Amino acid sequence: MKRIAVFTSGGDAPGMNACIRAVVRGAVYHGLEVFGIRRGYSGMINGDIFQMSSHSVSNIVQRGGTILKSARSKEFMTPEGRTKAHEQLQKFGIEGLVAIGGNGTFTGATIFYDEYGIPTVGAPGTIDNDLYGTDYTIGFDTAVNTALEAIDKIRDTADSHDRIFFIEVMGRDSGYIAIQSGIAGGAELVMVPEVLTPISEVVETLKSGWSRQKSSSIIVIAEGEEEGNATEISEKIRAQVQSDIDMRVTTLGHIQRGGVPTAYDRILASRLGLGALEGLMNGEKNVMAGIVNNELVYTPFRDTIRLPKPINEDLLRMVKILSV
């Protein structure tokens, strides 16, 4: 293999630039030509492809977002779009790909290989930490710390005004950000998609706190919680408790995606980027590079896409114990 390309796809995540840097500099070290593809599969279709060098990735390890930009391409979901993408890769002589993204990115790469035989090795770039085959994904640690900083500040206001705050964090299908930021932020309750938490249990937790003269509470809610979003949950609870309790809702939203990556995310992204590149060089294809028990492993895309990554129930148990 002489020429490879790297791209980012799907939602951006802090640490993606560190991963791009590792792929590019690893390729240069190993004597490969390396190209960057802007805007993911959309750029692949449109031929937005350029050669990169070690200098191309100078001074980016500390930057959030992705210098290669990102996009979700509906056209790549069609056979015609994938044909255009393959033609562009042929034009540049690209023989293999490193894809930094999540489930959608890896699904596209799997179909692309089945049709055209272009091997891809993935690096898990998503703040949700919801990919099977790695303990942590690129951007997750930074997102947790961003959420935690907000929770700490909201705690000050909650305590000053004797309020209940319902804080909604990202995680449409995964409660990893909610559970870790909730534990670190001393939340009284954490609600996640993986485990149903009835409204009655939330009310009971709040009443138990009031009986112990607890005047303020923080409830962290993942956006995919079955009982609804933070606003809906607060309204359900308000209907069941005394009306003079001051309740507020804060949705953290996309601030969790941006920002300077933590040291952990920079190191993780560098390991995964180099691992993805060297896996590709060694004949790996249609796999994701991940870190499990601090060891580099490769997991087939089909398993990464198909298999769930459950939350450790000990973490949920910890929330109950520590909120007493």
Side-chain angles (χ1 to χ4, degrees):
M1 190 172 288
K2 306 262 190 205
R3 288 187 171 192
I4 64 104
V6 58
F7 66 97
T8 52
S9 179
D12 62 302
M16 280 185 164
N17 282 326
C19 191
I20 294 166
R21 175 177 177 268
V23 173
V24 171
R25 292 202 166 167
V28 171
Y29 176 85
H30 287 294
L32 300 182
E33 290 185 77
V34 57
F35 291 76
I37 302 173
R38 295 187 184 93
R39 295 179 177 83
Y41 290 119
S42 178
M44 196 183 296
I45 290 169
N46 296 321
D48 196 354
I49 300 170
F50 65 103
Q51 189 160 7
M52 301 184 76
S53 65
S54 183
H55 181 69
S56 303
V57 292
S58 295
N59 200 30
I60 68 168
V61 70
Q62 79 282 7
R63 289 169 57 182
T66 162
I67 63 164
L68 292 179
K69 308 291 187 179
S70 190
R72 291 181 170 89
S73 174
K74 291 184 178 179
E75 190 176 1
F76 192 80
M77 297 177 187
T78 68
E80 295 78 12
R82 293 190 294 273
T83 297
K84 291 179 185 177
H86 180 246
E87 289 171 352
Q88 293 292 351
L89 294 183
Q90 282 190 313
K91 187 186 298 183
F92 286 87
I94 292 167
E95 303 163 271
L97 300 168
V98 173
I100 306 168
N103 271 340
T105 304
F106 301 156
T107 299
T110 301
I111 297 170
F112 198 45
Y113 178 80
D114 290 343
E115 292 177 346
Y116 295 104
I118 302 290
T120 301
V121 177
T126 167
I127 66 169
D128 290 334
N129 197 37
D130 58 350
L131 294 175
Y132 177 87
T134 188
D135 289 338
Y136 296 104
T137 59
I138 297 165
F140 170 68
D141 187 68
T142 307
V144 168
N145 279 280
T146 298
L148 177 60
E149 183 180 0
I151 290 168
D152 286 345
K153 291 176 178 178
I154 291 168
R155 171 76 72 181
D156 292 342
T157 294
D159 184 58
S160 297
H161 294 274
D162 295 338
R163 287 173 178 163
I164 300 170
F165 267 88
F166 299 86
I167 303 175
E168 184 178 306
V169 299
M170 281 183 148
R172 186 177 62 249
D173 302 306
S174 169
Y176 272 93
I177 294 175
I179 193 72
Q180 295 220 6
S181 63
I183 289 172
E188 278 65 38
L189 199 70
V190 177
M191 303 177 73
V192 297
E194 292 90 341
V195 179
L196 177 63
T197 305
I199 293 297
S200 58
E201 183 177 326
V202 182
V203 171
E204 187 59 37
T205 298
L206 291 172
K207 287 182 176 179
S208 175
W210 295 334
S211 71
R212 301 191 308 274
Q213 284 73 55
K214 184 174 281 192
S215 60
S216 66
S217 295
I218 297 287
I219 297 173
V220 178
I221 302 164
E223 62 180 317
E225 163 60 33
E226 287 187 37
E227 288 283 2
N229 60 33
T231 299
E232 292 167 339
I233 289 170
S234 70
E235 289 171 352
K236 290 178 182 179
I237 291 170
R238 191 184 298 278
Q240 297 188 35
V241 301
Q242 57 201 72
S243 59
D244 60 335
I245 297 294
D246 194 357
M247 298 184 185
R248 301 296 174 95
V249 173
T250 300
T251 301
L252 299 185
H254 282 78
I255 65 164
Q256 295 159 91
R257 282 202 186 281
V260 172
T262 60
Y264 183 88
D265 267 330
R266 298 183 202 190
I267 295 165
L268 175 69
S270 298
R271 288 186 72 184
L272 292 173
L274 187 58
L277 169 74
E278 292 182 339
L280 190 63
M281 292 173 57
N282 292 329
E284 297 284 356
K285 55 192 175 187
N286 299 332
V287 297
M288 180 191 79
I291 303 293
V292 177
N293 295 327
N294 207 31
E295 296 290 334
L296 179 69
V297 299
Y298 296 100
T299 301
F301 281 156
R302 285 186 169 87
D303 288 345
T304 294
I305 295 161
R306 178 177 56 89
L307 297 177
K309 183 179 178 180
I311 279 186
N312 187 330
E313 292 195 10
D314 280 346
L315 295 178
L316 292 168
R317 179 172 165 270
M318 190 185 301
V319 175
K320 285 188 178 182
I321 293 173
L322 298 183
S323 66
V324 172

